[in-house]
Amino acid sequence: MRGPGKDPASTGRGDHPRDPVTGTMAERLGVILGRPVRRAARAGSSHDWEISYAELDDGTRLFVKALPRRAPATGVLTAEARGLTWLGQAFGSPALRPLAWDERIVVLPWVAEDEPTPAAAERLGRQLAGLHLTGAAQYGAPWDGYIGPLPMDNTPSDHWPSFFAEQRLRPYLRHALDQGSLTPSDARVVERAVDSVAELAGPAEPPARIHGDLWSGNVLWRGSDAVLIDPAAQGGHRESDLAMLSLFGLPHLDRVRDAYNEVAPLAEGWRTRVALHQLHPLLVHVCLFGAAYRTTALDTARTALRGS
């Protein structure tokens, strides 16, 4: 999705789009930020929200996500803002902190992106380890969860295998089956993996403070470091973040992982569990984008069952 690193000068749109609730976006931002906003430019949409760029009177650039005028306030943007704030409370966290939000809008700093470097990747690995080690009270979170536009059950749990199976896998398997993106035969393949999570989970670990949607598009490279955006933040298993980084590829991923292991070594056998952790985002992709991800999801379920 379009993130805070794109150049607002490239939008080619007017400076005063109408706000989803009332007035221009610039006026709405001025209220929520408590300071004048020089201009705001609509830049398109992503999932169920609209994207704008804005500029304060001192030239500071902003990235804005807002629900459309007639859309109900589902809580998706509140979950994003609360998640970023929670991740940002960890010492040295790479999460991008929101500047302001309400139930219909979230305002973030605009990030000037650079090319990823090995040094920045190593710093990200160390920061990610520190974020995970900060921990969480339980698996889940004390707010309603979303991954992209899809609701995500954050009911707190003390047992990761059942939490992962029943709150991260089975709901999206049912959704994909109900919408016809997976057949009943497909669902049985995935169901075997879901039913086997306890045997496949590896050594027990305490809840980690994880991003929860850490694909490469949610990593913005900025000079000597990186910042993380668009989380599905939760108490979860730290291997889930690392598995998702490898799902769609990340520049210098080996550097990230090596630096991570220097701070917080992964448990023995972690490589055999990558597919298990990747099954959640893949089922989400099947729900969002249909059968295009069907084959990958089924292959990943089979690989998870083999433990290889």
Side-chain angles (χ1 to χ4, degrees), residues 11 26 38 40 61 83 137-138 152 160 169 213 233 241 289:
T11 63
R38 179 183 299 166
R61 291 175 171 181
Q138 291 176 289
M152 185 174 69
W160 185 79
L169 297 181
D213 193 9
D241 271 353
F289 305 112

Side-chain angles (χ1 to χ4, degrees), residues 5 24 97 103 108 117 122 133 172 184 194 213 260 297-298:
T24 67
R97 297 288 291 269
E103 63 181 3
L108 299 164
T117 66
E122 291 171 5
L133 291 174
Y172 304 102
V194 177
D213 193 9
Y260 183 101
L298 295 178

Side-chain angles (χ1 to χ4, degrees), residues 2-6 53 61-65 79-90 92-101 106-113 124 127 131 211 214 217-222 225-231 233:
R2 191 186 300 269
K6 305 302 181 182
Y53 294 101
R61 291 175 171 181
L62 308 174
F63 176 84
V64 184
K65 295 167 71 171
E80 176 180 339
R82 292 188 66 179
L84 284 170
T85 300
W86 183 66
L87 294 174
Q89 291 168 352
S93 171
L96 190 67
R97 297 288 291 269
L99 300 174
W101 78 87
V106 60
V107 185
L108 299 164
W110 176 72
V111 177
E113 289 187 85
L124 175 60
Q127 289 178 309
L131 175 65
H211 179 282
L214 196 54
N218 286 341
V219 179
L220 304 182
W221 301 97
R222 181 182 63 182
D225 63 5
V227 294
L228 307 183
I229 60 169
D230 293 351

Side-chain angles (χ1 to χ4, degrees), residues 216-247:
S216 57
N218 286 341
V219 179
L220 304 182
W221 301 97
R222 181 182 63 182
S224 62
D225 63 5
V227 294
L228 307 183
I229 60 169
D230 293 351
Q234 61 191 274
H237 198 301
R238 63 200 183 107
E239 290 177 14
S240 294
D241 271 353
L242 293 166
M244 196 164 183
L245 279 177
S246 67
L247 181 57

Side-chain angles (χ1 to χ4, degrees), residues 27-86:
E27 291 166 349
R28 174 70 171 124
L29 291 173
V31 171
I32 195 173
L33 291 166
R35 59 181 300 182
V37 174
R38 179 183 299 166
R39 64 187 184 95
R42 173 76 183 278
S45 61
S46 178
H47 293 302
D48 296 336
W49 42 85
E50 298 174 343
I51 304 299
S52 297
Y53 294 101
E55 187 175 302
L56 297 177
D57 55 352
D58 64 359
T60 300
R61 291 175 171 181
L62 308 174
F63 176 84
V64 184
K65 295 167 71 171
L67 296 178
R69 182 194 304 270
R70 294 180 178 84
T74 60
V76 62
L77 297 183
T78 300
E80 176 180 339
R82 292 188 66 179
L84 284 170
T85 300
W86 183 66

Side-chain angles (χ1 to χ4, degrees), residues 138-143 145 152-158 163 167-168:
Q138 291 176 289
Y139 302 106
W143 56 80
M152 185 174 69
D153 183 0
N154 271 347
T155 303
S157 172
D158 293 317
F163 169 80
Q167 296 172 232
R168 294 296 177 263

